[in-house]
């Protein structure tokens, strides 16, 4: 090892015992094995340079992560169309795992949900427009069926919106909002999204 290299090592050791950040330039290391062998084998970078490099790498990782996160998010959303009482259609994106009631509230769609998903009302009644999609849903529980019995305009493909959870196979589902709901809350309470 050349004198210069040994001096480089000493310098690095001193810096590290003083608690300062150092890193080794691989670029110079490569070059030193060729025509630039007279250059120091290692190069100590200032703390600022190290920090800057670290930030760049971090930022680079962040960008990559954000891109894959975005792609993941897009995959994690399904498309749901609400057909309102007047026939107007509204298509929204719903994250997997979110209930149809929550999704409706987030998108200002008029689906009441008076009991806030505690299965004590039928104001979140929706009608699944395609039997194909209706058959993909889990069977309603007895509690849901009890509440559905109270729903206005009950159909064969009626469900309670708070019990329908977005899942990948429901992508493209169309839900009609019934012409009316029965709200048994004394004051006709309609909750707002949290
Ligand atoms: Fe009351 Fe769905 S909000 S049962």
């Amino acid at each position: 090892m050349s004198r210069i290299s040994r001096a480089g090592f000493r310098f690095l050791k001193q810096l590290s015992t003083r608690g300062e950040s150092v890193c080794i330039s691989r670029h110079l290391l490569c070059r030193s094995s060729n025509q630039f062998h007279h250059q120091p084998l290692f190069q100590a970078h200032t703390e600022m340079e190290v920090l800057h490099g670290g930030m760049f790498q971090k930022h680079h990782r962040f960008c990559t992560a954000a891109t894959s996160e975005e792609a993941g998010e897009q995959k994690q959303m399904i498309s749901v169309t609400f057909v309102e009482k007047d026939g107007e259609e509204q298509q929204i994106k719903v994250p997997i795992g979110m209930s149809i009631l929550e999704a409706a509230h987030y998108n200002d769609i008029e689906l009441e949900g008076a009991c806030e998903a505690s299965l004590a009302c039928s104001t979140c009644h929706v009608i699944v427009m395609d039997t194909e999609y209706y058959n993909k849903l889990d069977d309603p529980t007895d509690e849901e069926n009890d509440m559905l019995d109270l729903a206005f305009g009950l159909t064969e493909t009626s469900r309670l919106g708070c019990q329908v959870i977005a899942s990948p196979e429901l992508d493209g589902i169309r839900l009609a909002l019934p012409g009316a709901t029965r709200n048994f809350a004394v004051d006709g309470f309609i909750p707002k999204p949290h």
Side-chain angles (χ1 to χ4, degrees):
M1 191 179 291
S2 72
R3 256 177 348 140
I4 295 173
S5 302
R6 277 199 296 277
F9 269 128
R10 268 203 305 279
F11 179 55
L12 287 174
K13 205 170 163 194
Q14 277 173 7
L15 282 178
S16 59
T17 53
R18 279 161 39 196
E20 294 185 30
S21 301
V22 293
C23 71
I24 296 164
S25 166
R26 281 185 18 206
H27 176 63
L28 277 182
L29 189 64
C30 295
R31 292 208 309 180
S32 67
S33 60
N34 300 321
Q35 67 270 38
F36 299 115
H37 60 276
H38 59 281
Q39 297 264 344
L41 194 57
F42 303 113
Q43 183 182 21
H45 291 229
T46 64
E47 201 162 348
M48 189 52 79
E49 285 170 327
V50 171
L51 189 62
H52 186 74
M55 278 173 72
F56 174 76
Q57 283 173 10
K58 218 169 166 184
H59 181 65
H60 180 69
R61 263 203 308 279
F62 174 74
C63 289
T64 315
T67 311
S68 54
E69 251 172 44
E70 272 169 24
E73 261 174 32
Q74 279 184 358
K75 248 200 299 185
Q76 300 290 301
M77 304 277 248
I78 62 166
S79 169
V80 174
T81 302
F82 286 90
V83 182
E84 303 198 32
K85 297 163 199 169
D86 58 3
E88 198 180 314
E89 296 195 4
Q90 203 170 334
Q91 192 184 61
I92 61 169
K93 293 284 179 200
V94 182
I96 303 292
M98 180 180 271
S99 80
I100 290 304
L101 176 66
E102 279 177 288
H105 284 180
Y106 278 117
N107 288 278
D108 291 327
I109 290 167
E110 282 188 39
L111 190 59
E112 289 183 26
C115 78
E116 301 193 61
S118 57
L119 275 176
C121 76
S122 60
T123 60
C124 61
H125 175 205
V126 291
I127 298 162
V128 183
M129 296 180 78
D130 303 302
T131 319
E132 179 201 338
Y133 280 102
Y134 180 80
N135 292 335
K136 290 178 183 176
L137 299 174
D138 291 337
D139 290 338
T141 59
D142 290 345
E143 290 83 0
E144 183 179 350
N145 276 328
D146 287 347
M147 285 300 125
L148 276 170
D149 285 342
L150 304 174
F152 178 89
L154 186 68
T155 72
E156 288 289 304
T157 59
S158 288
R159 291 299 300 260
L160 293 180
C162 67
Q163 302 302 304
V164 177
I165 307 298
S167 60
E169 61 273 17
L170 296 184
D171 188 30
I173 194 170
R174 287 160 57 81
L175 301 167
L177 300 179
T181 56
R182 287 197 182 111
N183 187 344
F184 291 101
V186 176
D187 54 359
F189 170 69
I190 299 175
K192 294 272 175 260
H194 299 290

